[in-house]
Amino acid sequence: MADVKPFRGIHYDLGRIGNLSDVVAPPYDVISPEEREALYRRHSCNIVRIDFGKKEEGDTPGADVYSRAALFFRDWRSNGTLTQDPAPSLYYYEQEFVIAGKRAYVRKGFLGALKLSPFGEGEVFPHERTLSGPKQDRLSLMRATDAHMSPIFGLYSDPSNAVLKGLCAGMRPKPDLSATDDLGVKHRVWVVSDAGAIRAAVENMAGKGVFIADGHHRYETALAFRDEMRSKHGSDTAAAYEHVLTFLCNMDDEGIVILPTHRGIHSLSGFSEEMFLSAVRRFLPVESREGSSEDAILAVEEAGRRGKAIAWSAGGNRYHLITFPDIDRFCEANLSKFPLQLRSLDVALLHGFLIEQLLGISAEAVTGGKFVKYYKDPLKAAEDLSSGAIQLAFFLNAVTIPEFRDVSLSGHVLPQKSTFFYPKIGTGLLIFPVGPEDKVG
């Protein structure tokens, strides 16, 4: 069962830093070098100095980005910039945001300490594979600070919303922490220390599966750190290091938004738009239209309401809309090597058939970083298409929540860059201490 515990969170003292918006940051893995420089300049105590500090000339083991992170963390705690709550708490967290051209959303959930268990041995389910490099970086930071700086993002199913209803009974009228990030997302956190409200939320979470939406590297890093701490200090169910800082969100809530990640193809020898169009038409209906990339995106969204669809463009104010009128028969004939739960996903149709079979780009080449670029912003893909940086762009619809849940439960993982849960969870709103003396509950 999902075992969630309250803990004594560490957060900025608003009386010391003033505007919380000045010291929070996005997760480290979406920060560009330019954005990191801007965060450094914004405030001398911005969380990026700990969570994603800059390397410096002359760094050596023990005197490097991780030792500086530990020094910042220690100093900010000792001088009161960071303060720790006196009582174990859960933290109701909501994000208010707008999707351009659509509407405003509020995503609601809570931050808690989730009991760690290896994938396949508990009620925590992954949906993608991880790489070794980011895990080593995060483990080095965790060793240096004895803390989780950035939460993972987990989804659970709760159609009656019992978990949050129980927790909300202990909330004050106004949030304890509020910030607005550079994308305009409003972050609000309430500290809930009421024992009855915490008990209701914890009990209602029991027995639920938790599906990792974002933060697989951080989860596996927390597992590795737990095992190191066990070897030094023993296994203790109340030890903070047995847990991972997690934002838990009801997947049945209307505030859940998954955006697609579009693809661009580059460096392909002998590519011809007409040859590729002819190859696709041998298998699937294709409608060629005049229009921009924005028109292609609108068209694929509209077609996606009726079934599976993918749009592509090689530029020149022209795009092509591919539809799949008999998806089951098509997948059986062309994608039988994929597990049943994966084969009809938009990204599987794209990579397994269009990219691999028709364009001749192997899965190994894609995994190795060749030929394919990924775009969260479709307008950037259009710019690269116009400049010649890519030869064609594919525009997709997002993975749906039911598809995400079914793949996670099946024991399989989604293809690379399949999901983009928006917005990202803020870093610096709450820190979870996991040193040898730290406890949960």
Side-chain angles (χ1 to χ4, degrees):
M1 66 178 183
D3 186 352
V4 181
K5 292 289 192 295
F7 64 97
R8 295 177 58 217
I10 296 171
H11 51 79
Y12 284 98
D13 183 338
L14 301 183
R16 299 274 304 189
I17 56 94
N19 188 352
L20 187 62
S21 302
D22 290 337
V23 292
V24 297
Y28 78 101
D29 52 357
V30 299
I31 299 175
S32 69
E34 296 77 16
E35 289 167 334
R36 179 162 56 179
E37 290 294 337
L39 292 167
Y40 260 73
R41 292 192 300 269
R42 185 170 298 168
H43 199 288
S44 61
C45 295
N46 189 285
I47 193 65
V48 75
R49 294 173 184 266
I50 295 176
D51 194 53
F52 192 39
K54 295 187 293 185
K55 295 180 180 179
E56 297 180 1
E57 187 176 351
D59 278 355
T60 58
D64 55 16
V65 64
Y66 306 112
S67 63
R68 287 190 292 275
L71 180 61
F72 283 130
F73 189 42
R74 183 170 63 250
D75 287 350
W76 296 354
R77 292 189 72 180
S78 64
N79 67 24
T81 299
L82 293 172
T83 184
Q84 186 168 16
D85 287 322
S89 304
L90 294 177
Y91 299 83
Y92 182 90
Y93 175 30
E94 65 182 28
Q95 296 168 289
E96 182 179 347
F97 59 99
V98 175
I99 300 294
K102 298 186 185 298
R103 63 181 180 87
Y105 296 82
V106 178
R107 186 167 69 189
K108 301 176 288 291
F110 71 99
L111 292 152
L114 175 67
K115 183 72 177 295
L116 287 157
S117 61
F119 296 141
E121 296 183 17
E123 297 299 319
V124 180
F125 303 93
H127 81 270
E128 68 180 23
R129 293 185 177 89
T130 56
L131 303 173
S132 59
K135 286 186 283 188
Q136 186 57 52
D137 166 62
R138 292 297 96 181
L139 184 57
S140 296
L141 179 63
M142 206 173 291
R143 288 168 176 160
T145 60
D146 278 345
H148 296 176
M149 296 293 162
S150 186
I152 69 163
F153 179 6
L155 296 171
Y156 62 91
S157 181
D158 185 14
S160 66
N161 204 31
V163 174
L164 286 188
K165 285 179 181 177
L167 189 63
C168 287
M171 286 171 52
R172 289 183 284 269
K174 294 183 179 180
D176 298 280
L177 302 167
S178 298
T180 302
D181 66 26
D182 290 344
L183 296 176
V185 179
K186 298 176 181 178
H187 304 259
R188 296 184 285 263
V189 177
W190 284 258
V191 180
V192 182
S193 55
D194 178 80
I198 291 173
R199 183 169 56 253
V202 168
E203 290 177 354
N204 284 318
M205 275 298 300
K208 296 188 183 302
V210 174
F211 304 85
I212 297 181
D214 206 359
H216 291 77
H217 290 103
R218 278 164 276 164
Y219 187 89
E220 293 192 351
T221 299
L223 273 171
F225 182 79
R226 179 204 68 176
D227 292 344
E228 289 185 2
M229 295 295 277
R230 279 182 174 180
S231 68
K232 297 175 183 176
H233 308 287
S235 180
D236 178 0
T237 56
Y241 57 73
E242 296 279 351
H243 303 76
V244 61
L245 177 62
T246 307
F247 171 59
L248 291 156
C249 185
N250 182 6
M251 69 172 65
D252 302 301
D253 185 88
E254 64 176 9
I256 300 294
V257 174
I258 305 177
L259 300 178
T261 300
H262 309 287
R263 270 65 167 168
I265 304 297
H266 63 91
S267 307
L268 197 60
S269 177
F271 171 76
S272 160
E273 178 181 3
E274 294 304 324
M275 287 179 61
F276 182 55
L277 180 60
S278 177
V280 176
R281 281 182 169 152
R282 288 200 297 269
F283 297 90
L284 293 162
V286 184
E287 183 179 349
S288 298
R289 303 176 180 177
E290 289 187 0
S292 65
S293 297
E294 292 97 323
D295 296 323
I297 293 163
L298 291 174
V300 80
E301 287 180 352
E302 182 182 352
R305 298 185 188 102
R306 301 186 297 272
K308 294 295 180 181
I310 294 173
W312 65 277
S313 174
N317 199 44
R318 183 188 189 205
Y319 69 91
H320 312 278
L321 182 65
I322 305 169
T323 53
F324 300 79
D326 192 342
I327 189 67
D328 292 335
R329 180 179 295 180
F330 177 84
C331 291
E332 183 63 32
N334 298 286
L335 294 167
S336 59
K337 72 174 186 178
F338 284 79
L340 187 62
Q341 296 87 349
L342 293 178
R343 62 181 61 165
S344 63
L345 297 177
D346 299 65
V347 288
L349 297 169
L350 172 61
H351 281 269
F353 183 68
L354 297 174
I355 290 179
E356 187 171 343
Q357 296 185 41
L358 297 192
L359 289 176
I361 300 173
S362 69
E364 292 75 19
V366 174
T367 303
K370 300 178 179 178
F371 300 109
V372 179
K373 292 185 69 173
Y374 300 92
Y375 297 92
K376 292 180 172 61
D377 181 358
L379 297 183
K380 174 58 177 169
E383 289 177 9
D384 282 0
L385 195 60
S386 297
S387 70
I390 58 175
Q391 294 160 293
L392 73 158
F394 288 105
F395 301 105
L396 307 177
N397 287 307
V399 171
T400 66
I401 285 291
E403 288 173 337
F404 170 85
R405 179 175 53 229
D406 291 347
V407 171
S408 298
L409 279 173
S410 73
H412 300 292
V413 293
L414 290 165
Q416 185 181 14
K417 305 289 186 182
S418 294
T419 58
F420 174 29
F421 286 88
Y422 184 85
K424 294 290 187 177
I425 311 302
T427 296
L429 293 165
L430 196 68
I431 297 169
F432 177 37
V434 291
E437 306 302 321
D438 293 307
K439 305 294 182 183
V440 297

